[in-house]
Amino acid sequence: MNMVKRFLTEEDAMGVVEVILIMVVLIAMVAIFKNQIRSLVENIWSSINKGAQSIYT
């Protein structure tokens, strides 16, 4: 009976569930905003390349 009581009050798995839920939300956000993220990264990358070209030339 004591083991059942300890099992029911144990909270170790709560952290795992929270991490999984956070990961699911992040993956869903990436899937929803995929095009916006891609264009943002491309703009940042092109800005970095322009800056690097001005340094090397």
Side-chain angles (χ1 to χ4, degrees):
M1 189 66 170
N2 194 15
M3 289 183 67
V4 173
K5 191 175 192 180
R6 277 191 310 184
F7 178 75
L8 292 175
T9 59
E10 187 174 311
E11 296 180 3
D12 290 342
M14 290 303 250
V16 174
V17 172
E18 291 169 356
V19 169
I20 290 172
L21 287 175
I22 290 170
M23 289 179 65
V24 167
V25 168
L26 287 175
I27 291 170
M29 289 179 69
V30 167
I32 292 169
F33 297 109
K34 180 175 67 170
N35 293 332
Q36 289 88 347
I37 293 170
R38 180 178 289 148
S39 67
L40 176 67
V41 170
E42 287 175 357
N43 289 339
I44 292 171
W45 212 216
S46 67
S47 175
I48 290 171
N49 285 335
K50 287 178 186 176
Q53 286 175 356
S54 69
I55 291 172
Y56 290 120
T57 57

Short mmCIF file of all heavy atoms in Angstrom, two decimals:
data_model
loop_
_atom_site.label_atom_id
_atom_site.label_comp_id
_atom_site.label_asym_id
_atom_site.label_seq_id
_atom_site.Cartn_x
_atom_site.Cartn_y
_atom_site.Cartn_z
N MET A 1 0.83 -1.20 0.00
CA MET A 1 0.00 0.00 0.00
C MET A 1 0.87 1.26 0.00
O MET A 1 0.54 2.23 -0.66
CB MET A 1 -0.92 -0.04 1.23
CG MET A 1 -1.95 1.03 1.23
SD MET A 1 -3.09 0.74 -0.12
CE MET A 1 -4.32 1.89 0.25
N ASN A 2 1.99 1.20 0.72
CA ASN A 2 2.88 2.34 0.79
C ASN A 2 3.48 2.65 -0.58
O ASN A 2 3.65 3.81 -0.94
CB ASN A 2 3.97 2.08 1.82
CG ASN A 2 4.71 3.35 2.19
OD1 ASN A 2 4.25 4.44 1.90
ND2 ASN A 2 5.85 3.18 2.82
N MET A 3 3.79 1.62 -1.36
CA MET A 3 4.37 1.82 -2.69
C MET A 3 3.37 2.48 -3.64
O MET A 3 3.74 3.34 -4.44
CB MET A 3 4.86 0.49 -3.28
CG MET A 3 6.09 -0.06 -2.59
SD MET A 3 6.69 -1.57 -3.34
CE MET A 3 7.22 -0.99 -4.91
N VAL A 4 2.11 2.10 -3.54
CA VAL A 4 1.08 2.70 -4.38
C VAL A 4 0.93 4.18 -4.04
O VAL A 4 0.81 5.02 -4.93
CB VAL A 4 -0.26 1.95 -4.22
CG1 VAL A 4 -1.38 2.67 -4.95
CG2 VAL A 4 -0.13 0.52 -4.68
N LYS A 5 0.96 4.50 -2.78
CA LYS A 5 0.83 5.88 -2.33
C LYS A 5 2.01 6.72 -2.84
O LYS A 5 1.83 7.84 -3.33
CB LYS A 5 0.77 5.92 -0.81
CG LYS A 5 0.38 7.24 -0.24
CD LYS A 5 0.23 7.12 1.27
CE LYS A 5 -0.45 8.32 1.85
NZ LYS A 5 -0.59 8.23 3.29
N ARG A 6 3.21 6.17 -2.76
CA ARG A 6 4.39 6.88 -3.27
C ARG A 6 4.31 7.06 -4.78
O ARG A 6 4.68 8.10 -5.31
CB ARG A 6 5.67 6.14 -2.91
CG ARG A 6 6.16 6.44 -1.52
CD ARG A 6 7.54 5.92 -1.31
NE ARG A 6 7.59 4.50 -1.75
CZ ARG A 6 8.64 3.73 -1.63
NH1 ARG A 6 9.75 4.21 -1.11
NH2 ARG A 6 8.63 2.49 -2.02
N PHE A 7 3.83 6.04 -5.48
CA PHE A 7 3.71 6.11 -6.94
C PHE A 7 2.74 7.21 -7.36
O PHE A 7 2.98 7.95 -8.31
CB PHE A 7 3.26 4.77 -7.51
CG PHE A 7 3.07 4.79 -8.99
CD1 PHE A 7 4.16 4.79 -9.85
CD2 PHE A 7 1.80 4.80 -9.53
CE1 PHE A 7 3.99 4.82 -11.22
CE2 PHE A 7 1.61 4.83 -10.91
CZ PHE A 7 2.71 4.84 -11.75
N LEU A 8 1.63 7.32 -6.65
CA LEU A 8 0.62 8.31 -7.00
C LEU A 8 1.07 9.74 -6.69
O LEU A 8 0.64 10.69 -7.34
CB LEU A 8 -0.69 8.01 -6.29
CG LEU A 8 -1.41 6.73 -6.76
CD1 LEU A 8 -2.64 6.48 -5.89
CD2 LEU A 8 -1.79 6.84 -8.22
N THR A 9 1.94 9.91 -5.71
CA THR A 9 2.39 11.25 -5.34
C THR A 9 3.71 11.62 -6.01
O THR A 9 4.17 12.75 -5.87
CB THR A 9 2.56 11.36 -3.82
OG1 THR A 9 3.50 10.39 -3.38
CG2 THR A 9 1.23 11.17 -3.12
N GLU A 10 4.30 10.73 -6.77
CA GLU A 10 5.57 11.00 -7.43
C GLU A 10 5.35 11.98 -8.58
O GLU A 10 4.41 11.86 -9.36
CB GLU A 10 6.13 9.68 -7.97
CG GLU A 10 7.53 9.81 -8.51
CD GLU A 10 8.07 8.44 -8.89
OE1 GLU A 10 7.97 7.52 -8.06
OE2 GLU A 10 8.57 8.33 -10.00
N GLU A 11 6.25 12.97 -8.69
CA GLU A 11 6.10 14.01 -9.70
C GLU A 11 7.27 14.05 -10.67
O GLU A 11 7.46 15.05 -11.37
CB GLU A 11 5.93 15.35 -9.02
CG GLU A 11 4.67 15.45 -8.18
CD GLU A 11 4.54 16.81 -7.52
OE1 GLU A 11 5.39 17.67 -7.76
OE2 GLU A 11 3.58 16.97 -6.75
N ASP A 12 8.06 13.02 -10.76
CA ASP A 12 9.23 13.02 -11.64
C ASP A 12 8.84 13.09 -13.11
O ASP A 12 9.51 13.73 -13.91
CB ASP A 12 10.08 11.78 -11.41
CG ASP A 12 10.78 11.82 -10.07
OD1 ASP A 12 10.87 12.91 -9.49
OD2 ASP A 12 11.22 10.75 -9.61
N ALA A 13 7.77 12.46 -13.50
CA ALA A 13 7.38 12.42 -14.90
C ALA A 13 6.77 13.74 -15.37
O ALA A 13 6.65 13.96 -16.57
CB ALA A 13 6.39 11.29 -15.12
N MET A 14 6.40 14.61 -14.47
CA MET A 14 5.80 15.88 -14.86
C MET A 14 6.76 16.71 -15.69
O MET A 14 6.37 17.35 -16.65
CB MET A 14 5.34 16.67 -13.65
CG MET A 14 4.15 16.04 -12.97
SD MET A 14 2.80 15.85 -14.11
CE MET A 14 1.72 17.05 -13.45
N GLY A 15 8.04 16.69 -15.36
CA GLY A 15 9.04 17.44 -16.12
C GLY A 15 9.14 16.94 -17.55
O GLY A 15 9.26 17.72 -18.49
N VAL A 16 9.07 15.64 -17.73
CA VAL A 16 9.15 15.05 -19.07
C VAL A 16 7.95 15.46 -19.90
O VAL A 16 8.08 15.84 -21.07
CB VAL A 16 9.25 13.51 -18.97
CG1 VAL A 16 9.19 12.88 -20.33
CG2 VAL A 16 10.50 13.10 -18.23
N VAL A 17 6.78 15.43 -19.32
CA VAL A 17 5.56 15.82 -20.02
C VAL A 17 5.63 17.29 -20.42
O VAL A 17 5.27 17.66 -21.54
CB VAL A 17 4.31 15.54 -19.17
CG1 VAL A 17 3.06 16.11 -19.80
CG2 VAL A 17 4.16 14.05 -18.93
N GLU A 18 6.12 18.13 -19.55
CA GLU A 18 6.22 19.56 -19.85
C GLU A 18 7.19 19.80 -21.00
O GLU A 18 6.91 20.59 -21.89
CB GLU A 18 6.68 20.32 -18.61
CG GLU A 18 5.63 20.35 -17.52
CD GLU A 18 6.17 20.88 -16.21
OE1 GLU A 18 7.39 21.16 -16.12
OE2 GLU A 18 5.38 21.02 -15.27
N VAL A 19 8.32 19.12 -21.00
CA VAL A 19 9.30 19.28 -22.07
C VAL A 19 8.71 18.82 -23.40
O VAL A 19 8.87 19.49 -24.43
CB VAL A 19 10.60 18.52 -21.75
CG1 VAL A 19 11.52 18.46 -22.94
CG2 VAL A 19 11.30 19.15 -20.57
N ILE A 20 8.00 17.71 -23.40
CA ILE A 20 7.39 17.21 -24.63
C ILE A 20 6.34 18.19 -25.15
O ILE A 20 6.28 18.48 -26.35
CB ILE A 20 6.78 15.81 -24.40
CG1 ILE A 20 7.90 14.80 -24.20
CG2 ILE A 20 5.89 15.40 -25.56
CD1 ILE A 20 7.44 13.43 -23.78
N LEU A 21 5.53 18.75 -24.26
CA LEU A 21 4.53 19.73 -24.68
C LEU A 21 5.16 20.99 -25.26
O LEU A 21 4.70 21.53 -26.27
CB LEU A 21 3.61 20.09 -23.51
CG LEU A 21 2.61 19.02 -23.11
CD1 LEU A 21 1.85 19.47 -21.87
CD2 LEU A 21 1.65 18.73 -24.23
N ILE A 22 6.23 21.45 -24.66
CA ILE A 22 6.94 22.63 -25.17
C ILE A 22 7.50 22.33 -26.56
O ILE A 22 7.41 23.16 -27.47
CB ILE A 22 8.05 23.07 -24.20
CG1 ILE A 22 7.42 23.66 -22.93
CG2 ILE A 22 8.99 24.07 -24.84
CD1 ILE A 22 8.38 23.92 -21.82
N MET A 23 8.07 21.16 -26.74
CA MET A 23 8.62 20.78 -28.04
C MET A 23 7.52 20.70 -29.10
O MET A 23 7.72 21.14 -30.24
CB MET A 23 9.38 19.46 -27.94
CG MET A 23 10.68 19.59 -27.19
SD MET A 23 11.57 18.05 -27.03
CE MET A 23 11.96 17.70 -28.72
N VAL A 24 6.38 20.16 -28.74
CA VAL A 24 5.26 20.08 -29.69
C VAL A 24 4.80 21.47 -30.10
O VAL A 24 4.56 21.73 -31.28
CB VAL A 24 4.10 19.26 -29.08
CG1 VAL A 24 2.83 19.41 -29.89
CG2 VAL A 24 4.49 17.80 -28.97
N VAL A 25 4.71 22.38 -29.16
CA VAL A 25 4.30 23.75 -29.47
C VAL A 25 5.32 24.42 -30.38
O VAL A 25 4.96 25.09 -31.35
CB VAL A 25 4.08 24.56 -28.17
CG1 VAL A 25 3.93 26.03 -28.46
CG2 VAL A 25 2.87 24.03 -27.43
N LEU A 26 6.61 24.24 -30.09
CA LEU A 26 7.64 24.85 -30.92
C LEU A 26 7.62 24.29 -32.34
O LEU A 26 7.74 25.05 -33.31
CB LEU A 26 9.02 24.64 -30.29
CG LEU A 26 9.30 25.47 -29.05
CD1 LEU A 26 10.64 25.08 -28.45
CD2 LEU A 26 9.29 26.94 -29.39
N ILE A 27 7.45 22.99 -32.48
CA ILE A 27 7.40 22.38 -33.81
C ILE A 27 6.18 22.89 -34.57
O ILE A 27 6.26 23.18 -35.76
CB ILE A 27 7.41 20.84 -33.69
CG1 ILE A 27 8.78 20.38 -33.20
CG2 ILE A 27 7.07 20.18 -35.01
CD1 ILE A 27 8.85 18.93 -32.81
N ALA A 28 5.06 23.02 -33.89
CA ALA A 28 3.86 23.53 -34.54
C ALA A 28 4.06 24.98 -35.00
O ALA A 28 3.64 25.35 -36.10
CB ALA A 28 2.66 23.44 -33.60
N MET A 29 4.72 25.79 -34.18
CA MET A 29 4.97 27.18 -34.57
C MET A 29 5.90 27.26 -35.77
O MET A 29 5.70 28.08 -36.66
CB MET A 29 5.54 27.96 -33.38
CG MET A 29 4.53 28.21 -32.30
SD MET A 29 5.21 29.10 -30.91
CE MET A 29 5.47 30.70 -31.64
N VAL A 30 6.91 26.41 -35.80
CA VAL A 30 7.82 26.39 -36.95
C VAL A 30 7.06 25.96 -38.20
O VAL A 30 7.25 26.54 -39.28
CB VAL A 30 9.02 25.46 -36.68
CG1 VAL A 30 9.80 25.18 -37.95
CG2 VAL A 30 9.93 26.08 -35.64
N ALA A 31 6.19 25.00 -38.08
CA ALA A 31 5.41 24.55 -39.24
C ALA A 31 4.46 25.65 -39.73
O ALA A 31 4.30 25.83 -40.93
CB ALA A 31 4.62 23.29 -38.88
N ILE A 32 3.87 26.38 -38.82
CA ILE A 32 2.93 27.44 -39.20
C ILE A 32 3.66 28.62 -39.84
O ILE A 32 3.22 29.16 -40.86
CB ILE A 32 2.12 27.90 -37.97
CG1 ILE A 32 1.17 26.78 -37.52
CG2 ILE A 32 1.34 29.17 -38.27
CD1 ILE A 32 0.52 27.03 -36.18
N PHE A 33 4.78 29.03 -39.25
CA PHE A 33 5.49 30.22 -39.71
C PHE A 33 6.71 29.88 -40.56
O PHE A 33 7.67 30.65 -40.60
CB PHE A 33 5.90 31.07 -38.51
CG PHE A 33 4.73 31.59 -37.72
CD1 PHE A 33 4.46 31.09 -36.46
CD2 PHE A 33 3.90 32.56 -38.24
CE1 PHE A 33 3.39 31.56 -35.73
CE2 PHE A 33 2.82 33.03 -37.53
CZ PHE A 33 2.56 32.53 -36.27
N LYS A 34 6.68 28.76 -41.25
CA LYS A 34 7.84 28.29 -42.01
C LYS A 34 8.27 29.30 -43.06
O LYS A 34 9.46 29.61 -43.17
CB LYS A 34 7.51 26.95 -42.66
CG LYS A 34 8.64 26.37 -43.48
CD LYS A 34 8.30 25.00 -44.01
CE LYS A 34 7.18 25.09 -45.00
NZ LYS A 34 6.95 23.84 -45.73
N ASN A 35 7.35 29.84 -43.82
CA ASN A 35 7.70 30.79 -44.89
C ASN A 35 8.28 32.08 -44.33
O ASN A 35 9.25 32.61 -44.87
CB ASN A 35 6.48 31.09 -45.75
CG ASN A 35 6.03 29.87 -46.53
OD1 ASN A 35 6.84 29.00 -46.85
ND2 ASN A 35 4.75 29.80 -46.83
N GLN A 36 7.70 32.58 -43.26
CA GLN A 36 8.21 33.81 -42.67
C GLN A 36 9.61 33.59 -42.09
O GLN A 36 10.48 34.46 -42.22
CB GLN A 36 7.28 34.31 -41.56
CG GLN A 36 5.97 34.85 -42.08
CD GLN A 36 4.90 33.78 -42.23
OE1 GLN A 36 5.18 32.59 -42.18
NE2 GLN A 36 3.67 34.21 -42.43
N ILE A 37 9.84 32.45 -41.45
CA ILE A 37 11.15 32.15 -40.90
C ILE A 37 12.18 32.02 -42.01
O ILE A 37 13.29 32.54 -41.91
CB ILE A 37 11.10 30.87 -40.04
CG1 ILE A 37 10.25 31.10 -38.79
CG2 ILE A 37 12.50 30.42 -39.64
CD1 ILE A 37 9.94 29.85 -38.00
N ARG A 38 11.79 31.36 -43.10
CA ARG A 38 12.71 31.19 -44.23
C ARG A 38 13.10 32.54 -44.83
O ARG A 38 14.27 32.80 -45.08
CB ARG A 38 12.08 30.31 -45.30
CG ARG A 38 13.01 30.11 -46.50
CD ARG A 38 12.41 29.20 -47.53
NE ARG A 38 12.40 27.85 -47.00
CZ ARG A 38 11.46 26.94 -47.28
NH1 ARG A 38 10.48 27.23 -48.09
NH2 ARG A 38 11.54 25.74 -46.76
N SER A 39 12.13 33.43 -45.04
CA SER A 39 12.45 34.73 -45.62
C SER A 39 13.30 35.57 -44.67
O SER A 39 14.21 36.27 -45.10
CB SER A 39 11.18 35.48 -46.01
OG SER A 39 10.44 35.81 -44.86
N LEU A 40 13.03 35.48 -43.39
CA LEU A 40 13.85 36.21 -42.41
C LEU A 40 15.29 35.73 -42.43
O LEU A 40 16.23 36.53 -42.45
CB LEU A 40 13.25 36.05 -41.00
CG LEU A 40 14.03 36.67 -39.86
CD1 LEU A 40 14.01 38.19 -39.99
CD2 LEU A 40 13.46 36.23 -38.53
N VAL A 41 15.49 34.42 -42.44
CA VAL A 41 16.84 33.86 -42.46
C VAL A 41 17.55 34.23 -43.76
O VAL A 41 18.74 34.58 -43.76
CB VAL A 41 16.80 32.33 -42.26
CG1 VAL A 41 18.16 31.70 -42.52
CG2 VAL A 41 16.33 32.00 -40.85
N GLU A 42 16.85 34.20 -44.88
CA GLU A 42 17.46 34.59 -46.16
C GLU A 42 17.86 36.06 -46.15
O GLU A 42 18.94 36.41 -46.65
CB GLU A 42 16.49 34.31 -47.31
CG GLU A 42 16.35 32.83 -47.63
CD GLU A 42 15.29 32.55 -48.68
OE1 GLU A 42 14.61 33.50 -49.13
OE2 GLU A 42 15.16 31.37 -49.06
N ASN A 43 17.03 36.93 -45.59
CA ASN A 43 17.38 38.35 -45.50
C ASN A 43 18.60 38.57 -44.62
O ASN A 43 19.49 39.36 -44.95
CB ASN A 43 16.20 39.17 -44.97
CG ASN A 43 15.09 39.29 -45.97
OD1 ASN A 43 15.30 39.12 -47.17
ND2 ASN A 43 13.89 39.55 -45.48
N ILE A 44 18.64 37.89 -43.49
CA ILE A 44 19.80 38.02 -42.59
C ILE A 44 21.05 37.49 -43.27
O ILE A 44 22.12 38.11 -43.20
CB ILE A 44 19.53 37.27 -41.27
CG1 ILE A 44 18.43 37.97 -40.47
CG2 ILE A 44 20.81 37.15 -40.44
CD1 ILE A 44 17.95 37.21 -39.27
N TRP A 45 20.94 36.38 -43.96
CA TRP A 45 22.08 35.77 -44.64
C TRP A 45 22.60 36.67 -45.73
O TRP A 45 23.82 36.83 -45.90
CB TRP A 45 21.67 34.43 -45.18
CG TRP A 45 22.70 33.35 -45.25
CD1 TRP A 45 22.79 32.43 -46.22
CD2 TRP A 45 23.74 33.03 -44.35
NE1 TRP A 45 23.82 31.57 -45.97
CE2 TRP A 45 24.43 31.93 -44.82
CE3 TRP A 45 24.17 33.61 -43.16
CZ2 TRP A 45 25.52 31.36 -44.19
CZ3 TRP A 45 25.27 33.05 -42.51
CH2 TRP A 45 25.92 31.95 -43.02
N SER A 46 21.71 37.27 -46.52
CA SER A 46 22.15 38.17 -47.58
C SER A 46 22.79 39.42 -47.01
O SER A 46 23.78 39.93 -47.55
CB SER A 46 20.99 38.53 -48.51
OG SER A 46 20.04 39.31 -47.82
N SER A 47 22.30 39.91 -45.89
CA SER A 47 22.91 41.06 -45.23
C SER A 47 24.31 40.72 -44.74
O SER A 47 25.25 41.53 -44.88
CB SER A 47 22.04 41.50 -44.07
OG SER A 47 22.64 42.53 -43.34
N ILE A 48 24.49 39.55 -44.20
CA ILE A 48 25.81 39.11 -43.74
C ILE A 48 26.75 38.99 -44.93
O ILE A 48 27.92 39.43 -44.87
CB ILE A 48 25.71 37.78 -42.97
CG1 ILE A 48 25.02 38.00 -41.63
CG2 ILE A 48 27.08 37.15 -42.78
CD1 ILE A 48 24.67 36.71 -40.90
N ASN A 49 26.28 38.43 -46.02
CA ASN A 49 27.11 38.28 -47.21
C ASN A 49 27.52 39.64 -47.78
O ASN A 49 28.66 39.82 -48.20
CB ASN A 49 26.40 37.44 -48.27
CG ASN A 49 26.40 35.98 -47.92
OD1 ASN A 49 27.25 35.50 -47.21
ND2 ASN A 49 25.41 35.26 -48.44
N LYS A 50 26.60 40.60 -47.82
CA LYS A 50 26.93 41.94 -48.31
C LYS A 50 27.98 42.60 -47.42
O LYS A 50 28.90 43.24 -47.90
CB LYS A 50 25.67 42.80 -48.39
CG LYS A 50 24.75 42.45 -49.51
CD LYS A 50 23.50 43.31 -49.48
CE LYS A 50 22.51 42.85 -50.53
NZ LYS A 50 21.25 43.61 -50.46
N GLY A 51 27.83 42.43 -46.12
CA GLY A 51 28.81 42.99 -45.20
C GLY A 51 30.17 42.34 -45.35
O GLY A 51 31.20 43.01 -45.31
N ALA A 52 30.19 41.05 -45.55
CA ALA A 52 31.45 40.33 -45.74
C ALA A 52 32.11 40.73 -47.05
O ALA A 52 33.34 40.89 -47.11
CB ALA A 52 31.22 38.82 -45.69
N GLN A 53 31.32 40.93 -48.09
CA GLN A 53 31.89 41.34 -49.38
C GLN A 53 32.50 42.73 -49.29
O GLN A 53 33.55 43.00 -49.87
CB GLN A 53 30.82 41.33 -50.47
CG GLN A 53 30.43 39.92 -50.91
CD GLN A 53 29.28 39.95 -51.91
OE1 GLN A 53 28.73 41.00 -52.20
NE2 GLN A 53 28.92 38.78 -52.40
N SER A 54 31.88 43.63 -48.54
CA SER A 54 32.45 44.97 -48.40
C SER A 54 33.74 44.94 -47.61
O SER A 54 34.62 45.79 -47.82
CB SER A 54 31.43 45.90 -47.75
OG SER A 54 31.23 45.55 -46.39
N ILE A 55 33.91 44.01 -46.72
CA ILE A 55 35.15 43.90 -45.95
C ILE A 55 36.26 43.35 -46.84
O ILE A 55 37.40 43.82 -46.80
CB ILE A 55 34.95 43.00 -44.72
CG1 ILE A 55 34.03 43.69 -43.72
CG2 ILE A 55 36.28 42.64 -44.07
CD1 ILE A 55 33.61 42.81 -42.57
N TYR A 56 35.96 42.37 -47.66
CA TYR A 56 36.98 41.70 -48.46
C TYR A 56 37.34 42.46 -49.72
O TYR A 56 38.35 42.19 -50.34
CB TYR A 56 36.55 40.28 -48.82
CG TYR A 56 36.56 39.36 -47.63
CD1 TYR A 56 35.40 38.72 -47.23
CD2 TYR A 56 37.71 39.15 -46.89
CE1 TYR A 56 35.39 37.88 -46.13
CE2 TYR A 56 37.72 38.32 -45.79
CZ TYR A 56 36.56 37.68 -45.42
OH TYR A 56 36.56 36.86 -44.33
N THR A 57 36.52 43.41 -50.15
CA THR A 57 36.85 44.13 -51.39
C THR A 57 37.45 45.47 -51.10
O THR A 57 37.51 46.01 -50.06
CB THR A 57 35.60 44.33 -52.26
OG1 THR A 57 34.61 45.03 -51.51
CG2 THR A 57 35.08 43.02 -52.74
#
